[in-house]
Amino acid sequence: MPIHTVDTYDGNSSFGTRLIHAQTGITEPYGAVNVPVYQVSTFDQRALAGDGLFDYSRSGNPTRKALENTIAQLEGGCAGFAFASGMAAISSVFCLLNQGDKVLISRDIYGGTYRVLTRLFPRFGIEPQFVDMTDLEAVTASITLETRMIFIETPSNPLMKITDIAAVSAIARQYGILTVVDNTFMTPYLQKPLALGADIVVHSATKYIGGHSDVVGGLVVVAEEDLAEEIYFVQNSFGAILGPQDSWLLLRGLKTLKIRLDQHQATALELARWLSEQPQIERVYYPGLADHPDHELAARQASGFGGIVSFEFHTEEEAESFLERTKIPALAVSLGAVESILTHPIRMSHASIPEEVRRAIGITGRLVRLSVGLEEAADLQADFAQALSVSTSPA
Ligand SMILES: *Cc1c(COP(=O)(O)O)cnc(C)c1O
């Protein structure tokens, strides 16, 4: 039987088509329309008739490789790498640094990233430098000779602040500093950091890329060949790789990324507008709302506003009552899945950030984060309405 490569992708297709027909680079002898799960640890080198790509699955596995090639194409990078979790991906990127190097980062960041940079990497002499990443003058002023990397998360979590990726990358390039963007909230469908000048993109693929709350994984995509070699060295040496089964789940999740996000963000905008009109809600944080302070920047650097909406109650009691009384969303950490997820950041996703830091950046007990799922908008709105009506004490 002739061997053929699964390469129905054509570089000019639109994003939704590329999701379905990505060039995985994996040779498939039977014409299977999906890359199989290569549940294998080692590869017989005598039987090797092909290209010698694989010898041991820490170093490379065909299912993982298919995922890595796919995400590289979608992000417009030269190589992709799959890791056991988003934190494994992020930590592996920090492993590019040497003792004495510093990472410029915002405090308004995913709790796990904050924890690894403030408590684990300092053991090896790699330290964070904190800055408000939305303030470009402050970014420039914070750079020192030791600054080797700028790490951006935009929109920020959970306050949905927007960092100008192109502007920060341009500053970084002037000083020969690497720019890394955590693109978990936007995905390559809505935001392409490499095209805006960043060097490295990271993902918690646990979120929108998997999309179904059934897999934990992380991805890295790099813009240039020399970075690809360095990340591959870390991936193979440190070994925090994604297994074949989970790689396959992410390949499957990616196929529906566009239609899921289209629906997530349509419902998110509808709910964000509705929530802004409710007297029980003091403030709604969603970049798609015209009154969001960074609305224009968000519209310029991304092709959509995503599916995460944060909102603040007048009191902590009202927030807690709302969280207890809603029926449809899960009350959980994580986001980006088919089911809506409500999070109380102060006690859940951001519990690992010290209280005084949380207070300084505005994460209070009154704040709730909603990852809008694929339920019908009207059902979510009705559920929120009943939860709000009982959570408000009569004036
Ligand atoms: C969840 C998340 C991470 C960490 O990913 P894991 O897969 O949980 O390790 C990193 N960044 C952001 C923005 C996240 O939401």
Side-chain angles (χ1 to χ4, degrees):
M1 186 178 285
I3 305 257
H4 79 275
T5 313
V6 187
D7 64 348
T8 45
Y9 158 75
D10 106 48
N12 297 318
S13 332
S14 49
F15 191 85
T17 304
R18 280 189 281 148
L19 285 175
I20 312 296
H21 297 286
Q23 194 170 27
T24 64
I26 295 304
T27 305
E28 211 299 293
Y30 302 114
V33 297
N34 292 307
V35 175
V37 182
Y38 282 88
Q39 194 71 50
V40 57
S41 61
T42 194
F43 300 80
D44 189 327
Q45 301 299 302
R46 283 169 312 176
L48 198 69
D51 35 29
L53 263 180
F54 303 104
D55 56 10
Y56 184 62
S57 278
R58 170 161 39 73
S59 311
N61 173 282
T63 315
R64 192 177 92 220
K65 193 79 195 161
L67 170 66
E68 293 174 333
N69 287 341
T70 300
I71 193 65
Q73 286 163 39
L74 297 175
E75 287 284 4
C78 82
F81 303 89
F83 293 89
S85 67
M87 283 319 304
I90 290 167
S91 301
S92 295
V93 167
F94 291 146
C95 285
L96 296 177
L97 300 169
N98 294 304
Q99 191 175 14
D101 290 350
K102 295 204 155 90
V103 184
L104 194 60
I105 196 160
S106 169
R107 285 185 204 273
D108 184 9
I109 197 109
Y110 178 72
T113 307
Y114 184 91
R115 177 172 52 206
V116 84
L117 261 189
T118 53
R119 293 176 52 197
L120 195 142
F121 278 93
R123 294 182 188 175
F124 309 105
I126 295 160
E127 303 271 352
Q129 297 172 298
F130 290 105
V131 68
D132 175 357
M133 205 61 80
T134 64
D135 179 346
L136 296 174
E137 280 173 25
V139 169
T140 306
S142 302
I143 291 172
T144 64
L145 285 175
E146 291 79 38
T147 311
R148 301 307 309 151
M149 185 180 278
I150 300 186
F151 189 96
I152 299 172
E153 189 181 309
T154 183
S156 75
N157 177 10
L159 290 170
M160 309 302 290
K161 285 191 183 172
I162 308 295
T163 293
D164 188 334
I165 297 172
V168 173
S169 304
I171 295 169
R173 202 168 319 114
Q174 274 185 317
Y175 293 91
I177 296 170
L178 286 175
T179 305
V180 181
V181 177
D182 184 334
N183 206 23
T184 300
F185 272 36
M186 290 279 100
T187 84
Y189 173 42
L190 301 179
Q191 179 167 279
K192 296 209 176 50
L194 300 182
L196 295 167
D199 302 290
I200 300 177
V201 173
V202 296
H203 283 280
S204 170
T206 313
K207 315 295 167 54
Y208 287 108
I209 289 180
H212 295 72
S213 298
D214 55 9
V215 58
V216 172
L219 297 167
V220 173
V221 178
V222 299
E224 314 248 339
E225 194 63 46
D226 51 347
L227 279 174
E229 277 169 29
E230 288 187 56
I231 291 282
Y232 179 72
F233 174 75
V234 174
Q235 186 192 41
N236 191 34
S237 308
F238 199 75
I241 49 151
L242 192 66
Q245 189 84 40
D246 290 344
S247 297
W248 183 86
L249 277 168
L250 293 184
L251 280 166
R252 185 166 80 164
L254 271 172
K255 298 206 183 216
T256 54
L257 181 69
K258 177 178 182 291
I259 55 164
R260 282 187 286 111
L261 267 164
D262 284 343
Q263 189 60 53
H264 283 306
Q265 55 180 0
T267 307
L269 183 60
E270 201 175 321
L271 290 175
R273 285 187 175 139
W274 181 81
L275 285 164
S276 337
E277 289 161 5
Q278 306 311 307
Q280 298 93 328
I281 310 279
E282 187 168 312
R283 193 164 162 198
V284 177
Y285 300 85
Y286 184 65
L289 293 177
D291 66 358
H292 184 284
D294 305 318
H295 175 67
E296 273 167 31
L297 172 59
R300 191 165 74 234
Q301 80 176 1
S303 61
F305 303 107
I308 309 294
V309 180
S310 293
F311 46 102
E312 219 160 47
F313 288 80
H314 299 293
T315 67
E316 188 158 347
E317 293 67 39
E318 286 175 315
E320 284 174 359
S321 162
F322 177 82
L323 291 169
E324 277 162 16
R325 289 175 198 277
T326 44
K327 297 195 174 83
I328 294 177
L331 178 59
V333 292
S334 201
L335 55 98
V338 291
E339 63 280 325
S340 291
I341 298 175
L342 276 169
T343 304
H344 200 200
I346 195 165
R347 277 191 288 166
M348 300 166 83
S349 56
H350 291 66
S352 55
I353 295 185
E355 200 196 324
E356 64 281 6
V357 177
R358 282 194 310 243
R359 196 168 301 143
I361 58 186
I363 300 173
T364 67
R366 299 184 287 120
L367 186 74
V368 168
R369 187 186 75 195
L370 168 67
S371 169
V372 178
L374 298 182
E375 303 92 345
E376 296 289 340
D379 293 337
L380 288 168
Q381 188 176 310
D383 187 27
F384 294 170
Q386 66 79 23
L388 282 177
S389 65
V390 286
S391 73
T392 332
S393 40

